[in-house]
Amino acid sequence: MATENIEDAKAQMGYDPTTNYDEATMAQQRQIEQEIAGCQPLIGKETDLKTLHDEYSPEDKIYQDKITDLQRKHSAYRRIRMDGNCFYRGFGFGYMEKLLKDKSELQRFKEVVTTSKDEMIKLGFPSFTIEDFHSNFIEVLEKLEKDCGVDELLEIFNDQGYSDYLVVYLRLLVSGHLQKNDDFFMNFIEGGRSVKEFCAQEVEPMGKESDHIHITALTAITGVPVCIEYMDRSEGHGVTTLVFPDDKTPVLTLLYKPGHYDLLY
């Protein structure tokens, strides 16, 4: 259904190779977000990457070439619902999927999450708010300890209540890390806002999209390196690959298209 909506939107827009489609793509995505919310799962099934070609016109050589480049490194992807929370949801599912097969890493991450609650309370987050989201996050990690499978994890992440609680806690982790290191991160915030104001406006609310500063903070606080494959209309036939932090081997890979993240395999 989502692909059909995208194709309908493309047909209405037409294709003009002289046009910069980044803004148009983002506007198109926002337009169909509400339409697909009721029919697209929060986390989709694993799909052959070659199907991504069908989302763009055959004449759209820039994106077609970049998808071909992606296929040299990746074979499949999971579509994440376009609701502004796609980075956190894709990160959460992709990493926890890895934890199903790595119990020592699971214990390390559980310790990070366990101690994070007190750290955030020290930073001034209300304990009654933190406690609720923290306990739900720990509950899911305990399910992973009991050898739940990918299907059960997918079920958890497609349950709106469970899934949103996980996203909220990841957002709170990012907010806490930014505020704890405000002397550094204030240099990357525009508009004369403090780090605390930025977090209240751009990090903590659901539906707010993520950029480099969010990725930098989440990978730092969790200790989980991430690769982002940027597929936009910049020059060149290949995608731009960035690793956060750049001196680590990534644990998972996300595909970024203007305004949206999906999970790559």
Side-chain angles (χ1 to χ4, degrees), residues 73-227:
K73 297 178 282 184
H74 307 283
S75 60
Y77 75 112
R78 286 187 192 272
R79 190 186 301 279
I80 313 298
R81 183 184 290 181
M82 295 184 286
D83 61 0
N85 303 306
C86 49
F87 167 69
Y88 294 99
R89 218 180 303 272
F91 174 95
F93 179 85
Y95 179 54
M96 289 189 189
E97 189 176 22
K98 301 283 187 182
L99 295 182
L100 292 174
K101 299 178 181 179
D102 192 338
K103 298 304 182 183
S104 62
E105 176 66 6
L106 172 57
Q107 292 307 311
R108 183 202 69 81
F109 182 63
K110 186 180 179 184
E111 179 63 23
V112 169
V113 175
T114 299
T115 58
S116 66
K117 181 183 70 173
D118 291 339
E119 288 293 322
M120 285 192 281
I121 290 174
K122 289 178 183 177
L123 287 168
F125 289 89
S127 58
F128 63 88
T129 300
I130 294 296
E131 182 67 43
D132 195 18
F133 293 109
H134 180 265
S135 61
N136 275 272
F137 205 102
I138 292 293
E139 181 181 335
V140 173
L141 294 183
E142 289 174 346
K143 289 178 183 289
L144 302 187
E145 289 179 316
K146 297 175 182 177
D147 296 319
C148 85
V150 175
D151 289 344
E152 184 177 348
L153 182 64
L154 191 61
E155 194 174 303
I156 289 170
F157 268 85
N158 276 313
D159 180 299
Q160 188 85 51
Y162 254 133
S163 196
D164 284 354
Y165 264 62
L166 297 173
V167 168
V168 167
Y169 200 75
L170 291 174
R171 286 183 175 276
L172 292 175
L173 284 176
V174 169
S175 179
H177 184 77
L178 292 175
Q179 292 183 58
K180 188 175 181 179
N181 299 277
D182 60 349
D183 286 346
F184 173 75
F185 285 108
M186 67 183 295
N187 299 304
F188 305 96
I189 295 174
E190 300 176 346
R193 293 176 291 181
S194 67
V195 172
K196 189 175 184 64
E197 288 171 333
F198 175 82
C199 290
Q201 296 166 8
E202 307 294 343
V203 179
E204 296 169 17
M206 290 289 279
K208 287 291 186 176
E209 296 177 359
S210 303
D211 206 338
H212 284 212
I213 191 170
H214 307 78
I215 302 171
T216 299
L218 186 59
T219 54
I221 188 62
T222 60
V224 181
V226 171
C227 174

Side-chain angles (χ1 to χ4, degrees), residues 19-22 56 60 62-63 66 231-235:
T19 299
N20 184 328
Y21 279 99
D22 277 353
Y56 300 92
D60 190 347
I62 293 178
Y63 269 10
K66 292 191 175 185
M231 192 174 82
D232 57 16
R233 296 192 176 279
S234 58
E235 293 183 3

